[in-house]
């Protein structure tokens, strides 16, 4: 069974530029999560999707971050415009469903904003 | 509110020896899962082991096992026959019915050859 796929693996941009990350969850997984992990900290949930609907985006900085999962499979996370403090690893995870489930993580995208 | 506490920021173990990583947690839910995730320098979050709270038997996965003490709200990870590839940050994680993961601060494990 293929795991969670993410691309790109690394991205370097200048502040005020825009960037997009892509995630493909494990086949059949209905729930998809995006996390932001700043160096030295644990991951912080940005947004949770159930199929193509948003379940929780309470910690997503909506003035600059957006995410979509239009067909209930792949998802993209966008930052526009980027700030220096957005430098982090962006992790995508998926689970079979909501509730008591195991989340499986992708390899992450390392973003550096200069 | 759920909390997870990992009080040791770093540990070191000799290759082939055994090491135990400690974790305590708090939750008001009666049904929950506990996990240990490993994060090597590549930064991928890798599932090591899962424990369902309703199960009395401690989970094991090859060289990895847990000591789950539900009444004491303690969940430690034992790594036997430590290998160089075990060097990583280890997170103790709790989840409940709302799918939210609560992470501990993590512990950095180094393995001495």
């Amino acid at each position: 069974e293929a795991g969670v796929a993410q691309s790109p693996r690394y991205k370097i941009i200048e502040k005020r530029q825009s960037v997009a990350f892509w995630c493909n969850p494990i086949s059949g997984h209905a729930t998809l999560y995006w996390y932001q992990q700043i160096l030295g900290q644990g991951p912080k949930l940005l947004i949770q999707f159930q199929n193509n609907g948003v379940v929780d985006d309470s910690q997503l900085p909506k003035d600059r971050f957006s995410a979509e999962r239009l067909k209930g499979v792949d998802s993209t996370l966008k930052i526009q415009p980027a700030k220096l403090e957005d430098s982090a690893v962006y992790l995508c995870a998926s689970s079979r469903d909501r509730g008591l489930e195991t989340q499986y993580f992708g390899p992450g995208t390392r973003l550096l904003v200069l | 509110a759920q909390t997870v506490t990992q009080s040791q920021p770093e540990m070191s173990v000799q290759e082939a020896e055994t090491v135990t990583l400690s974790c305590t947690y708090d939750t008001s839910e009666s049904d929950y899962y506990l996990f240990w995730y490993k994060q090597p320098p590549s930064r991928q979050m890798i599932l090591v082991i899962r424990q369902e709270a309703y199960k009395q038997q401690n989970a094991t996965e090859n060289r990895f096992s847990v000591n789950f003490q539900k009444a004491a709200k303690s969940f430690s990870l034992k790594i036997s026959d430590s290998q160089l590839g075990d060097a990583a940050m280890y997170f103790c994680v709790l989840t409940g019915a709302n799918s939210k993961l609560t992470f501990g601060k993590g512990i950095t494990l180094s393995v001495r050859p």
Side-chain angles (χ1 to χ4, degrees):
Chain A
E1 179 182 76
V4 178
Q6 288 187 249
S7 68
R9 294 296 309 279
Y10 304 91
K11 191 75 177 179
I12 300 174
I13 61 172
E14 295 188 348
K15 60 183 179 183
R16 291 187 290 274
Q17 285 187 325
S18 63
V19 64
F21 312 128
W22 173 82
C23 173
N24 187 21
I26 292 173
S27 178
H29 279 198
T31 314
L32 185 146
Y33 313 80
W34 283 101
Y35 291 87
Q36 179 193 58
Q37 187 181 22
I38 293 172
L39 191 63
Q41 300 180 15
K44 180 182 86 171
L45 179 69
L46 293 175
I47 190 167
Q48 177 184 347
F49 290 96
Q50 180 70 11
N51 297 308
N52 61 352
V54 175
V55 174
D56 183 357
D57 63 357
S58 57
Q59 297 205 78
L60 186 74
K62 298 179 186 63
D63 57 334
R64 298 184 300 106
F65 286 65
S66 64
E68 60 183 15
R69 193 185 183 200
L70 292 176
K71 296 183 179 179
V73 181
D74 293 8
S75 177
T76 56
L77 175 70
K78 296 179 182 178
I79 308 174
Q80 183 179 7
K83 292 185 175 181
L84 297 178
E85 58 260 37
D86 297 333
S87 294
V89 174
Y90 291 84
L91 295 165
C92 179
S94 70
S95 63
R96 189 181 54 180
D97 207 339
R98 294 174 63 186
L100 272 178
E101 294 285 346
T102 300
Q103 293 186 27
Y104 298 91
F105 287 81
T109 296
R110 282 202 216 194
L111 174 66
L112 179 61
V113 182
L114 301 175
Chain B
Q2 297 182 331
T3 61
V4 175
T5 302
Q6 294 178 255
S7 55
Q8 302 160 299
E10 296 178 354
M11 284 195 75
S12 180
V13 63
Q14 190 74 35
E15 194 175 6
E17 297 292 306
T18 295
V19 64
T20 299
L21 310 183
S22 301
C23 172
T24 58
Y25 65 94
D26 194 16
T27 179
S28 57
E29 297 192 42
S30 58
D31 202 8
Y32 53 90
Y33 289 176
L34 289 158
F35 307 92
W36 281 96
Y37 282 92
K38 165 187 175 181
Q39 190 174 42
S42 68
R43 305 295 297 275
Q44 179 164 7
M45 198 71 72
I46 301 165
L47 177 67
V48 175
I49 200 164
R50 180 181 81 180
Q51 176 76 46
E52 292 92 334
Y54 65 87
K55 289 187 177 179
Q56 291 188 336
Q57 188 170 6
N58 288 323
T60 62
E61 286 288 343
N62 301 313
R63 298 183 295 109
F64 300 88
S65 61
V66 298
N67 184 3
F68 174 47
Q69 300 291 326
K70 192 172 183 178
K73 293 185 177 176
S74 169
F75 183 61
S76 60
L77 174 69
K78 185 172 83 170
I79 306 174
S80 304
D81 185 26
S82 297
Q83 300 176 359
L84 295 177
D86 295 334
M89 175 80 84
Y90 286 81
F91 289 96
C92 179
V93 183
L94 168 68
T95 192
N98 66 1
S99 307
K100 290 188 186 296
L101 298 184
T102 301
F103 286 81
K105 288 188 175 181
I107 179 170
T108 300
L109 177 68
S110 58
V111 181
R112 304 186 301 275

